[in-house]
Structures are given as structure tokens and as C-alpha cells.
Amino acid sequence: MDNFTFYSPTYFVFGKEEENNAGKYVQRFGGKKVLIHYGGGSAVRSGLLDRVKKSLTQAGLEYVELGGVKPNPRSGLVYEGIGLCRKEKVDFILAVGGGSTIDSAKAIAIGVPYEGDFWDFYQGKAAAEALPIGTVLTIAAAGSEGGNGSVITHEEGNYKRATGSEVLYPKFSILNPALTQTLPAYQTACGITDIMAHLLERYFTNTKEVEVTDRLLEALLLTMIKEGPKAIENPNDYGARANIMWAGMMAHNDSCGVGRSQDWASHEIEHELSGAYDCAHGAGLAVVMPAVMKYNMYRDVNRFARLAVNVWGCQMNFDHPEETAKEGIEAFQHFLAKIHMPSNLEDLGAREEDIEMLAHNCSYGAGRTGILNGFAALTEQDIINIYHLMG
Ligand code: NZQ
Ligand code: ZN
């Protein structure tokens, strides 16, 4: 196991109706004038936004609103939010929504105290200061509610980039699983796929003797395999929603990723797709991950065989462990098909003739040096080969 530090300062509030306490938590973390940031309307339709506003008013807090965050959140609304916060002297941002809304809130939060262009932080500059943020989560997926990352799509060129900083951990996150019961089956499945990707990207490690995190990752993957289809079949299954929601947080606050090298190739390769074609991140991952796994399998057949046995229940073939490894990847593909995730580039609206451009952006975009380092060191040609495996 490698040396590590672990910092997870978010105050989590989990359970039914806890959104009605949003005002209390904003107050607890020092907010007086709040920006409520939300998405395309689901929080309005469900009445959630009204409940949150009522709670802020009851706590004696002033607020302004900025809705309209799109999935794969865009830079344009971030600039608007920065301007609004400065004008209204906002001192706390409350994101009500999914990963896109939370990431947009985080981008505004680092943009407000910064004199330059907030996009600098998405091109490698480290953020040292931010307005505090809180979240009311409505979809279990990205894990942004417990993490220090934010992913934004720049409107000029449609490329998607990430930043991370200690100042971006939410002060508090309210996780009420019942709020996710209004999700369409497709979005639920995208979330399940993203959560599994966050676990798998950590599972594919080159670090030895990391049994504690290996076992945690396997346990969470088994949870997703059991609970995911239940939530899709019965959207009102509170128990399944609750398990998925907490698994989604644990999958990405890095409690299961400490002390080990991680991969993230699937995420980088997928971000080019959702940036260029505006597909859902989870749907993109459903197409990318099996291809990356097939391409990288021979780097450590035993790790893939272990995943197949411990997570997918395959029988170990001791004479030919590569057969077991392949069976595990097939079992994953069956699972993705069962939850109706796409299986090829065409399903995502992606064009085969764009592959070279996508691979080039993935290898060299935003100051990258040509090698995608992770479980394997992938060159531009490797990435082209991987896109071609997606059919
Ligand atoms: O905008 P509204 O109307 O709210 O609709 C959303 C959106 O259309 C809808 N939705 C959310 N909660 C709902 C609901 N519909 C009905 N009932 C509810 N309770 O679902 C759609 C997707 O929402 P979005 O926020 O985009 O989903 P998600 O949480 O999957 O976020 C995706 C974004 O997160 C980024 C992705 O790249 C993508 O841009 N990621 C962020 C990460 C991070 N910050 O650490 C890591 C991830 O790997 C990921 O890259
Ligand atoms: Zn993800």
C-alpha cells in the first residue's frame, strides 16, 4: 500500500425529508446570502425547490436563484453565475440537483473570488479559494456531493475538462434517497453505471497489497449489482435507492481509493464523447469501459480474473485465467444490457470518422503530453484502437 492522506470534510445529512433542514445547515456553515443553483426543471416540478426556499426563509436567509444547468454543464452559465454572485454579494452557494448542478456550483464558487478566467482552473491552475457550497442531491451518480472535483464543458469547442481542489469539498450534502424516486429509468441506469465506473477505475491498480480497499470496492460493486436493477424495476423502492445513494458517495470520496494507483482512462476517453456529442456521462461509460477493459486485460490477467470471481461469480479457470477474466467482462456487458445502457458509439450519436480527432484531444487537449497514464500508459494510437473496439 502507498503512503496517503485522506481528507473528507463534508457534513453528510442522510434520510427522508432532510431537505427541509437546508436553511439550518447553510446557517451552520456561515451563509447569509445564498445562490440557489439548479438544473433544467426537475426540482421545480417535484416541488423540491419550493421546500428548499421555504427552509431558507424560515432560517432568516436571503437568496437569489439561477436555474438552467444542463447535463454536461456549460461554461456560459458559470460566467453568468459568477457575475450574479458578485453583484448580489452572495456568500454561500446551494446546489439543488445532480452532478451537473453541483459541478456548475463549484465552478462558480472558485470563479467568484478569482480575478482571471475561471477556466484557468480547468486547464491545470490550482484553486486556493472558493465560496462555500452545500448540496441537496437528486441523483446518485457523479459523487460530486462528497468529492473535490468539478467537470465543465467549454462551449467554444465543446470540450470537457475537470478540476479538483480541497476548497471544493461541499460544506454539507443532504442525501434524501426519496428525491431520486422521480428519476426516469434511463437516468437511474446512467447513475448506476457511473458509480460502478468510479469503483472499477480504482479497482484497476498496479499497487500491491491493498486488500482493504480491494474488498471495499468489491462490496460496493456487489451492492450495485444487487440494488441497481431493483431501483430500475421499482423506482419507489426506497431501500434500493438508499443503498445506491450511499454507495455513490462512497465510490467517489476516495475512501476506497486511498493508498493505491488508480486508472481513470475510461473517464478521460468518455469525457471526449459527452463533450463532443452531449450524451449522458454514464451512457458513454457503458460503451467505453468494456472496450478499455478488453484492451487492458492482458496487463494483469489475474486482477481481471479476481474481479470476475469475486464480483461476477465466475468459476476460476486456473489453467486459463484469461478465460475467467474475459467471462467477467462479458458478465459486466450483460449487466449493462439488462439495465438498458447503450453498447456502441452509434448509440451515443458518435461518428466513427471522428475517432482520430477524439483520440487526439484526449491525448493532447488542455496541456496533456500525449500519454494517458493510469493502469496502463496509453498512447494516442492506443486510444484510437480503444475507440475502434466500441463498434
Ligand atoms: O436538470 P434537471 O431537470 O434537474 O434534470 C436532470 C438531468 O436531465 C435529471 N434529474 C436529476 N435529478 C432528477 C432528475 N430528473 C428527475 N428526478 C430527479 N430527482 O437527470 C439528468 C442528469 O442530471 P446530471 O446532474 O447531469 O447527472 P449526473 O449526476 O450524472 O452528473 C453528470 C455530470 O457529472 C460529471 C459528468 O461528466 C457530467 O457532466 N461528473 C462529475 C464528477 C465529479 N464532479 O467528481 C465525476 C464524474 O465521473 C463525472 O465526470
Ligand atoms: Zn464518472
Side-chain angles (χ1 to χ4, degrees):
M1 197 187 295
D2 298 333
N3 290 7
F4 67 88
T5 59
F6 180 63
Y7 179 62
S8 184
T10 304
Y11 187 98
F12 293 102
V13 184
F14 191 97
K16 292 176 185 162
E17 295 175 17
E18 289 291 355
E19 65 276 13
N20 297 327
N21 294 318
K24 188 175 95 186
Y25 292 110
V26 172
Q27 228 174 17
R28 177 180 176 144
F29 290 97
K32 290 191 174 57
K33 177 88 183 260
V34 183
L35 171 72
I36 307 177
H37 200 35
Y38 58 95
S42 73
V44 178
R45 287 191 297 278
S46 66
L48 169 63
L49 203 68
D50 284 340
R51 295 202 295 283
V52 167
K53 285 191 218 169
K54 191 171 159 196
S55 150
L56 297 191
T57 304
Q58 279 171 346
L61 299 166
E62 281 184 66
Y63 61 81
V64 288
E65 296 173 44
L66 182 63
V69 181
K70 293 185 181 145
N72 305 319
R74 311 297 202 276
S75 50
L77 197 70
V78 173
Y79 291 115
E80 199 180 323
I82 293 169
L84 182 64
C85 286
R86 286 180 182 155
K87 180 168 158 262
E88 296 287 342
K89 303 203 170 12
V90 162
D91 60 13
F92 197 98
I93 305 180
L94 183 60
V96 180
S100 295
T101 298
I102 299 172
D103 285 1
S104 182
K106 287 178 175 177
I108 296 170
I110 43 176
V112 171
Y114 180 59
E115 282 181 7
D117 184 344
F118 92 90
W119 190 251
D120 293 347
F121 299 117
Y122 293 76
Q123 288 189 299
K125 190 178 170 71
E129 221 187 326
L131 287 186
I133 79 156
T135 83
V136 179
L137 185 66
T138 63
I139 172 172
S144 194
E145 68 278 11
N148 65 359
S150 162
V151 186
I152 300 290
T153 299
H154 204 291
E155 269 150 329
E156 283 165 30
N158 283 347
Y159 50 92
K160 201 175 195 188
R161 295 290 175 258
T163 191
S165 164
E166 273 188 11
V167 299
L168 285 180
Y169 283 105
K171 297 291 174 205
F172 70 84
S173 280
I174 296 177
L175 276 57
N176 173 359
L179 296 179
T180 67
Q181 290 173 359
T182 53
L183 278 166
Y186 179 74
Q187 291 297 346
T188 299
C190 287
I192 290 165
T193 308
D194 192 19
I195 292 168
M196 292 176 82
H198 296 161
L199 297 165
L200 290 167
E201 297 265 38
R202 291 177 167 89
Y203 198 78
F204 298 128
T205 186
N206 295 311
T207 313
K208 303 290 174 219
E209 297 183 332
V210 283
E211 195 64 8
V212 61
T213 40
D214 272 347
R215 291 287 182 188
L216 285 170
L217 291 165
E218 288 167 359
L220 288 163
L221 282 164
L222 285 164
T223 303
M224 296 307 297
I225 293 165
K226 185 165 174 231
E227 304 295 326
K230 283 199 220 165
I232 288 171
E233 204 154 298
N234 175 10
N236 294 324
D237 185 335
Y238 181 85
R241 295 284 190 188
N243 281 294
I244 293 169
M245 202 169 209
W246 194 239
M249 201 297 295
M250 289 197 61
H252 208 40
N253 83 331
D254 217 28
S255 45
C256 310
V258 293
R260 54 197 287 147
S261 70
Q262 304 179 6
D263 192 5
W264 301 103
S266 293
H267 268 70
E268 299 295 3
I269 293 170
E270 191 294 313
H271 282 166
E272 296 305 326
L273 295 170
S274 47
Y277 308 107
D278 204 17
C279 57
H281 169 62
L285 285 167
V287 176
V288 171
M289 268 192 303
V292 171
M293 288 163 81
K294 282 177 201 162
Y295 199 77
N296 282 345
M297 192 191 95
Y298 289 97
R299 217 193 126 70
D300 187 349
V301 163
N302 287 334
R303 179 140 284 269
F304 280 82
R306 174 182 168 148
L307 177 72
V309 172
N310 288 359
V311 171
W312 296 108
C314 302
Q315 284 288 327
M316 184 66 189
N317 181 336
F318 289 98
D319 295 329
H320 299 287
E322 70 278 8
E323 294 305 321
T324 314
K326 279 186 204 159
E327 258 182 63
I329 298 171
E330 278 162 27
F332 181 37
Q333 285 183 292
H334 278 135
F335 177 84
L336 294 170
K338 188 166 117 184
I339 62 170
H340 306 294
M341 282 287 92
S343 62
N344 58 54
L345 283 180
E346 202 185 334
D347 290 343
L348 301 173
R351 288 180 298 265
E352 207 158 340
E353 60 263 34
D354 293 346
I355 283 180
E356 293 196 358
M357 176 270 291
L358 294 167
H360 186 75
N361 287 348
C362 191
S363 304
Y364 292 98
R368 292 190 192 137
T369 52
I371 304 285
L372 207 54
N373 271 314
F375 184 59
L378 299 175
T379 63
E380 187 174 355
Q381 187 56 50
D382 288 320
I383 296 170
I384 291 175
N385 298 343
I386 288 169
Y387 278 122
H388 278 296
L389 280 180
M390 298 174 205

